[in-house]
């Protein structure tokens, strides 16, 4: 599966010594005129409507809003609410630590090594019996269960937490437990189901009663309905999420997502002022969590394979703890996490040795990821006094990635099927295209219906193949409407073009931060009719596909 390699937060291994002299005192305001100009320029260049920033320096908190929360003219302030996506995972892991502390002196205490199957036996079943019996709370929280993300399997909006967990038995594992880091939202949904089953209480109530209220986080919510209720009373204002459309050069608003099904993997709605309180709690190892809990949450459980940053000669080294990435930036240990969901992007990080941290929230998912990456490193380098000659040009690096991703989207067939006979030499389909339409089902993935439509998108064309009939489905729903177009490559093989927000698209639109291309294959049965459809939806599976059965 070809994915755009952009907008990932890079924690760099030691580039220079840990004893750098800060440019300014660490407890001085970071919102200098130079930083304000960088924010304005970055928002404009990367088409991000607005952001809110908070910096925690010892016992001081600095915060500021920039840009637009909701068009035409509602400004972002530090109190503006945003969806915070996967930063929720740090709270979910903390909730488990509370349960472990609660049961420490009981006859049957919970530990990080407690197998999940002993807690939710009927619901937690993996395709491997040994893995089912041995995967623990710690494994699930550190993304080392052997299960890859399979994000397209649980993306429908009406999926319950229990439904998502029960799908695991039908999904392919791609590693032995504890041998490989593979980010998996489904495991945090599983942890949510365990917490709610074990306590007979909604995770939101546990977080509010035991973490948010003790820390004074009054503007943090676990559902769209709760955040809207706060806006109705005038106590909070929820930003609108947006996407930027390259062809029309305009913003398009994204419908608010009811994030109940995302739960402990990414449901929180909050603001930078409340997240500053959470960061201060974490970096000072303060109540309401115990010292043992803090030590456990920040202890690295698995290494993440190192990778290089294009055109820089640098390599990135990370580890993962429990709901937190761990990196080394210029000699400083840094714990951090990003989050994105439905038109929003968030970043939070802290340097425990410096007693310093920050959080950035944006109301655009794609541009917001890039914006908070650029601004994060500006804040870090300003704190550490990094010489200008040693600072990286993140905009240039990301621009390079986007140009390459766009080229893949323009002609995916030659990238995906480099060795196949294509164009005039392509092997024709066995049957006419209409025989491939119909309903396809899978026990772990949403069902969908393929129809034919006229292809008007030049991104799917081979030379001379204009306006031909292709296969299409638009039944997937994630953080916005998702459609999949199928264009024939050769034989029974197709290119699939996966798009978000299809209704906004016009011929020639390329959205390299949102779109994906991959492979599909049809199989015929003994009767000569179409029997199965394989989609290459999971990068960790390599060339293997998810196989759907044709039922109509």
């Amino acid at each position: 599966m070809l994915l755009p390699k952009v907008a990932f937060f890079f924690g760099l291994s030691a580039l220079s010594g840990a004893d750098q002299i800060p440019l300014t005192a660490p407890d001085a305001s970071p919102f200098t005129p130079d930083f304000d100009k960088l924010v304005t320029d970055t928002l404009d260049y990367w088409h991000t409507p607005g952001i809110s920033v908070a910096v925690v320096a010892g016992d001081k908190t600095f915060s500021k809003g920039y840009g637009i929360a909701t068009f035409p003219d509602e400004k972002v302030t530090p109190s503006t609410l945003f969806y915070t996506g996967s930063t929720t995972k740090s709270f979910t892991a903390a909730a488990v630590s509370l349960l472990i502390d609660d049961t420490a002196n009981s006859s049957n205490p919970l530990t990080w090594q407690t197998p999940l199957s002993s807690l939710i036996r009927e619901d937690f079943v993996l395709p491997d019996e040994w893995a089912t019996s041995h995967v623990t709370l710690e494994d699930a929280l550190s993304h080392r269960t052997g299960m890859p993300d399979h994000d397209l399997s649980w993306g429908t909006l009406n999926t319950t937490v229990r439904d998502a967990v029960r799908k695991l038995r039908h999904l392919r594992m791609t590693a032995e437990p504890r041998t490989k880091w593979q980010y998996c939202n489904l495991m945090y949904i599983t942890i949510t189901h365990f917490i709610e089953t074990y306590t007979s209480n909604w995770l939101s109530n546990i977080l509010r009663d035991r973490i948010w209220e003790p820390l004074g986080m009054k503007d943090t919510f676990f559902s769209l309905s709760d955040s809207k209720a706060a806006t109705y009373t005038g106590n909070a204002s929820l930003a609108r999420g947006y996407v930027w459309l390259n062809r029309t050069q305009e913003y398009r608003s994204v419908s608010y997502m009811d994030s109940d099904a995302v739960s402990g993997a990414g449901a929180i709605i909050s603001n930078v002022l409340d997240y500053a309180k959470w960061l201060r709690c974490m970096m000072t190892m303060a109540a309401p969590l115990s010292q043992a809990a803090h030590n456990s949450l920040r202890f690295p459980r698995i290494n993440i394979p190192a990778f290089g940053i294009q055109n820089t000669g640098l390599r990135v080294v990370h580890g993962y703890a429990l709901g937190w990435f761990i990196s080394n930036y210029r000699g400083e240990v840094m714990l951090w996490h990003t989050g994105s969901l439905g038109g929003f992007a968030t970043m939070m990080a802290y340097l425990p040795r410096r007693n310093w941290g920050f959080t950035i929230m944006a109301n655009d998912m794609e541009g917001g990821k890039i914006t908070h990456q650029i601004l994060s490193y500006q804040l870090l380098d300003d704190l550490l006094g990094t010489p200008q000659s040693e600072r990286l040009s993140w905009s240039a690096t990301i621009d390079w990635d986007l140009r390459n991703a766009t080229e893949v989207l323009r002609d995916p067939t030659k990238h995906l099927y480099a060795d196949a006979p294509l164009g005039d030499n392509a092997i024709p389909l066995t049957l006419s295209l209409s025989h491939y339409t119909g309903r396809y089902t899978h026990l772990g993935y949403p069902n969908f219906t393929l129809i034919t439509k006229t292809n008007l998108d030049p991104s799917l064309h081979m030379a001379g193949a204009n306006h031909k009939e292709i296969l299409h489905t638009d039944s997937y729903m994630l953080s916005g409407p998702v459609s999949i177009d199928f264009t024939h490559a050769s034989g029974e093989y197709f290119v699939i073009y996966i798009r978000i927000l299809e209704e906004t698209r016009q011929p020639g639109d390329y959205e390299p931060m949102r779109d994906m291309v991959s492979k599909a294959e049809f199989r015929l049965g003994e009767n000569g009719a179409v029997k199965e459809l394989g989609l290459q939806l999971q990068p960790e599976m390599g060339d293997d596909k998810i196989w759907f059965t044709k039922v109509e």
Side-chain angles (χ1 to χ4, degrees):
M1 190 172 188
L2 297 178
L3 305 173
K5 182 192 168 188
V6 294
F8 187 89
F9 186 80
F10 304 117
L12 304 181
S13 57
L15 297 176
S16 56
D19 297 324
Q20 300 171 91
I21 305 300
L23 290 177
T24 57
D27 60 351
S29 173
F31 303 120
T32 63
D34 285 346
F35 184 79
D36 288 347
K37 183 178 186 305
L38 176 65
V39 172
T40 301
D41 292 346
T42 303
L43 293 181
D44 182 62
Y45 187 81
W46 291 107
H47 307 298
T48 304
I51 63 164
S52 189
V53 184
V55 174
V56 180
D59 60 357
K60 294 184 178 181
T61 298
F62 304 94
S63 61
K64 192 168 184 178
Y66 300 85
I68 298 295
T70 302
F71 286 114
D73 55 10
E74 183 181 339
K75 303 291 187 182
V76 174
T77 73
S79 299
T80 301
L81 298 175
F82 298 80
Y83 284 81
T84 65
S86 286
T87 62
T88 301
K89 291 178 172 65
S90 67
F91 292 92
T92 303
V96 176
S97 77
L98 293 171
L99 299 184
I100 288 174
D101 285 351
D102 290 346
T103 62
N105 297 319
S106 71
S107 59
N108 187 26
L110 287 172
T111 72
W112 297 110
Q113 290 74 44
T114 300
L116 268 166
S117 61
S118 70
L119 302 167
I120 45 175
R121 185 174 301 275
E122 291 185 5
D123 296 328
F124 183 73
V125 178
L126 299 176
D128 179 86
E129 184 177 349
W130 189 93
T132 300
S133 300
H134 290 84
V135 162
T136 66
L137 295 171
E138 178 184 29
D139 296 330
L141 290 166
S142 58
H143 302 296
R144 62 181 201 189
T145 64
M147 183 68 69
D149 59 58
H150 285 295
D151 277 349
L152 284 173
S153 72
W154 59 277
T156 52
L157 298 181
N158 59 352
T159 301
T160 67
V161 168
R162 185 170 183 260
D163 289 340
V165 175
R166 291 182 67 86
K167 285 186 176 185
L168 288 169
R169 67 196 68 192
H170 304 299
L171 302 177
R172 170 87 172 271
M173 295 179 67
T174 52
E176 294 293 326
R178 302 172 200 144
T179 63
K180 185 178 182 181
W181 183 83
Q182 297 180 115
Y183 197 85
C184 184
N185 284 302
L186 278 166
M187 284 302 163
Y188 270 77
I189 295 174
T190 300
I191 291 292
T192 303
H193 184 46
F194 143 65
I195 293 172
E196 294 179 346
T197 302
Y198 189 83
T199 63
S200 300
N201 199 0
W202 187 26
L203 177 56
S204 175
N205 295 334
I206 296 170
L207 295 176
R208 182 164 303 286
D209 293 345
R210 304 198 58 181
I211 296 178
W212 299 341
E213 287 190 356
L215 292 177
M217 297 174 65
K218 302 297 185 183
D219 291 322
T220 300
F221 309 96
F222 207 66
S223 70
L224 177 61
S225 59
D226 285 351
S227 63
K228 281 187 172 181
T231 65
Y232 294 148
T233 62
N235 294 328
S237 177
L238 177 59
R240 171 65 70 177
Y242 294 94
V243 295
W244 175 258
L245 305 180
N246 284 319
R247 183 185 61 85
T248 58
Q249 296 288 289
E250 65 178 350
Y251 292 104
R252 182 67 57 89
S253 64
V254 178
S255 298
Y256 289 130
M257 182 176 177
D258 192 338
S259 54
D260 288 353
V262 182
S263 60
I268 287 179
I269 298 169
S270 187
N271 61 30
V272 297
L273 297 176
D274 272 13
Y275 262 48
K277 297 171 183 176
W278 176 233
L279 287 171
R280 180 171 285 109
C281 168
M282 294 304 299
M283 66 190 189
T284 60
M285 302 180 73
L289 305 183
S290 68
Q291 290 295 299
H294 278 290
N295 287 330
S296 293
L297 293 172
R298 62 165 65 176
F299 184 79
R301 297 313 204 279
I302 189 167
N303 290 329
I304 300 171
F307 61 92
I309 301 176
Q310 190 67 41
N311 295 332
T312 66
L314 299 172
R315 290 189 65 75
V316 178
V317 181
H318 297 309
Y320 202 87
L322 303 178
W324 293 90
F325 288 92
I326 301 179
S327 302
N328 185 307
Y329 185 67
R330 301 187 183 275
E332 293 288 344
V333 173
M334 179 169 68
L335 288 93
W336 60 277
H337 216 290
T338 57
S340 58
L341 189 72
F344 295 88
T346 292
M347 170 67 189
M348 65 176 183
Y350 69 95
L351 279 58
R353 192 173 78 93
R354 297 270 180 170
N355 200 24
W356 181 92
F358 65 90
T359 182
I360 302 172
M361 299 180 182
N363 59 340
D364 172 77
M365 186 164 70
E366 292 83 14
K369 290 178 183 179
I370 298 172
T371 297
H372 69 52
Q373 182 168 312
I374 292 168
L375 299 181
S376 293
Y377 282 107
Q378 183 72 26
L379 290 169
L380 286 163
D381 286 335
D382 283 352
L383 173 77
L384 300 175
T386 306
Q388 290 296 329
S389 60
E390 294 183 16
R391 300 191 184 198
L392 300 181
S393 175
W394 291 108
S395 279
T397 297
I398 296 166
D399 264 333
W400 189 93
D401 275 340
L402 287 173
R403 286 195 299 272
N404 281 273
T406 300
E407 287 306 308
V408 172
L409 297 179
R410 288 181 187 278
D411 192 358
T413 307
K414 74 175 182 181
H415 291 275
L416 292 167
Y417 295 105
D419 298 325
L422 302 174
D424 293 339
N425 298 318
I427 301 170
L429 280 173
T430 303
L431 306 171
S432 64
L433 196 64
S434 61
H435 286 84
Y436 297 81
T437 62
R439 187 164 179 263
Y440 291 83
T441 66
H442 188 283
L443 292 174
Y445 276 72
N447 301 330
F448 61 88
T449 300
L450 283 183
I451 61 172
T452 60
K453 78 168 189 177
T454 301
N455 180 24
L456 299 177
D457 190 338
S459 68
L460 296 178
H461 290 169
M462 295 173 289
N466 294 321
H467 306 287
K468 67 179 182 181
E469 290 293 300
I470 64 169
L471 298 169
H472 170 80
T473 182
D474 59 2
S475 58
Y476 267 88
M477 290 290 293
L478 290 164
S479 56
V482 174
S483 70
I484 306 177
D485 281 348
F486 294 64
T487 187
H488 181 244
S490 190
E492 302 303 309
Y493 293 89
F494 283 70
V495 171
I496 58 174
Y497 196 116
I498 303 170
R499 287 179 158 146
I500 299 176
L501 300 169
E502 167 68 16
E503 76 276 8
T504 70
R505 313 300 289 280
Q506 297 292 328
D509 280 358
Y510 303 104
E511 300 293 350
M513 288 187 283
R514 289 200 293 279
D515 297 351
M516 296 167 276
V517 291
S518 193
K519 297 179 179 179
E521 176 188 355
F522 289 90
R523 288 176 179 169
L524 307 185
E526 294 178 355
N527 61 356
V530 176
K531 179 183 179 181
E532 293 178 304
L533 166 60
L535 300 180
Q536 201 174 89
L537 298 176
Q538 180 47 248
E540 294 285 351
M541 289 173 56
D543 289 334
D544 291 344
K545 299 177 177 70
I546 309 294
W547 287 96
F548 293 76
T549 301
K550 190 174 188 293
V551 294
E552 293 178 4

